[in-house]
Amino acid sequence: MSHRIIPVKYYLINAVVLTLLMVLTVVAAKVPAFHFSDNPNGINLLIALVIAIAKAACIVSVFMGSYWSSSLVRLLSVAGFLWLCIFFMFMATDYANPLEEFGTPYLDVQSPGTNPLAGGQNHPNIGRELTPAHGGTYTPPPHLFGGHEAEPAAGAPVAEHH
Amino acid sequence: MSNTATQPITMGPAEPIVSSQYETREQQTETAFIGMWLFLIQEIMFFGGLFVAYAVYRYKFPVTWYESSAHLNYWMGGTNTVVLLLSSVTMASSVYATQTGKRAMQLWNLGLTLVLGTVFLVVKYFEYKEKFGHGLWPGWNWNPDALGFTDPSHAQLFFILYFIMSGMHAFHMIIGISVGAVFWVLCYKREYGPNKYLPVEMFGFYWHFVDIVWVFLFPMLYLVSAPGPLH
């Protein structure tokens, strides 16, 4: 039905749930006993985002009333999120893959060791900060690049595609 | 609508108004919902670009993000999260009051929503002021030497994203408060009631959407760093 009137009771319950989720996300991030990982690249942000998605779902379902709406409206209420997922997926194929240091045309315009903003120093892995989780410097598989030897000289092309 | 039988309509039109292009009132309502959601989807696309930029640089520079986020005051961010959450409750209650013809509840809740939105902006102002004082404003105010970043140039990138993302959100809040003030005046003039509540409900959608954006911005900006004392 389109003339839906949602009782205030549901709004108040939703507010309590959202407040608890908000406290949970702060506790998971800021209380050492509940902090999952000390690695900067750990799963903490992922946990926080999962909680954020749950909170967004509560707001859309109850405050915006999608739970009581027609199927078409409910579909639209998740369409934007699905579009965002596709956006992230395609961006990840550009950046979050093993060949990213050779293939990202937008970000890695600097050659190693020539970044003036970083005091002339750049990481050998071209702008990517390595954490212990990454296990050090990445070495590309030789069969892909005809054997990637030592670091290229400053100003030299990063890699030659074959 | 069940309330019309028992009590007189004192707010909004006496009878439901169905515009000529619609067959029924239900169709009119559904169309408004779909139109508003399409508007919100393009808003998601707008913020989506910023979110993806954030994701790429967070992936590239996790250590810098870890360090930079520690300079944001998560107590202020958390307070603002609660303030926005409360404002969403009052906004939704105001829509309920409009639908059921409860005038005092409508005006009080809508007014409270605007007050809470203003409180959010005031807290934001003090946050920005603090960042400016610490030399964390990218560009001519940028003074990272005193803050001990491992990689100051990329830390600047974090704060550029911080100010753009939270700034765009604050801009949406300003628009929301301005439009909401107009709605409050119209409600005061008894423009909206049980027979005409869709505009108020659609404004509520916008308000809730701005709340959702903040729900994501809060962990992404304030909670990336390790547990520890505030700077």
Side-chain angles (χ1 to χ4, degrees), chain A:
Chain A
M1 64 179 193
S2 55
H3 286 212
R4 82 236 198 293
I5 296 175
I6 303 157
V8 173
K9 176 180 73 177
Y10 291 112
Y11 294 148
L12 296 177
I13 294 171
N14 201 38
V16 172
V17 171
L18 283 166
T19 308
L20 290 176
L21 285 172
M22 186 251 158
V23 171
L24 183 68
T25 190
V26 174
V27 166
K30 292 295 172 188
V31 178
F34 297 96
H35 199 61
F36 280 82
S37 168
D38 289 329
N39 183 343
N41 218 12
I43 60 169
N44 296 311
L45 183 59
L46 186 66
I47 291 166
L49 285 178
V50 167
I51 297 172
I53 289 169
K55 284 160 80 178
C58 287
I59 293 171
V60 170
S61 305
V62 181
F63 287 153
M64 298 169 88
S66 285
Y67 181 79
W68 293 273
S69 296
S70 69
S71 303
L72 183 58
V73 171
R74 270 188 277 176
L75 177 68
L76 279 172
S77 65
V78 295
F81 180 72
L82 294 177
W83 178 85
L84 209 54
C85 291
I86 295 170
F87 193 4
F88 271 87
M89 193 177 70
F90 280 117
M91 201 55 76
T93 61
D94 259 3
Y95 290 98
N97 70 63
L99 305 182
E100 48 115 10
E101 63 213 80
F102 300 100
T104 51
Y106 313 111
L107 198 63
D108 293 334
V109 292
Q110 302 282 349
S111 297
T114 61
N115 185 352
L117 293 175
Q121 287 295 312
N122 228 354
H123 200 281
N125 207 6
I126 311 170
R128 174 91 192 273
E129 289 168 348
L130 293 187
T131 64
H134 289 95
T137 309
Y138 168 75
T139 309
H143 67 276
L144 283 177
F145 300 101
H148 184 70
E149 302 292 335
E151 284 182 57
V158 171
E160 293 173 9
H161 292 267
H162 291 268

Side-chain angles (χ1 to χ4, degrees), chain B residues 32 51 54 56 58 61 73 77 80 82 89 96 107 116 135 181 186 194 197 206 220:
Chain B
F51 281 122
Y54 173 95
V56 167
R58 160 66 175 71
F61 314 116
N73 187 330
N80 263 351
V82 174
V89 178
Y96 169 84
L107 290 174
L116 288 167
L186 290 173
Y197 57 78
Y206 174 85
M220 284 167 61

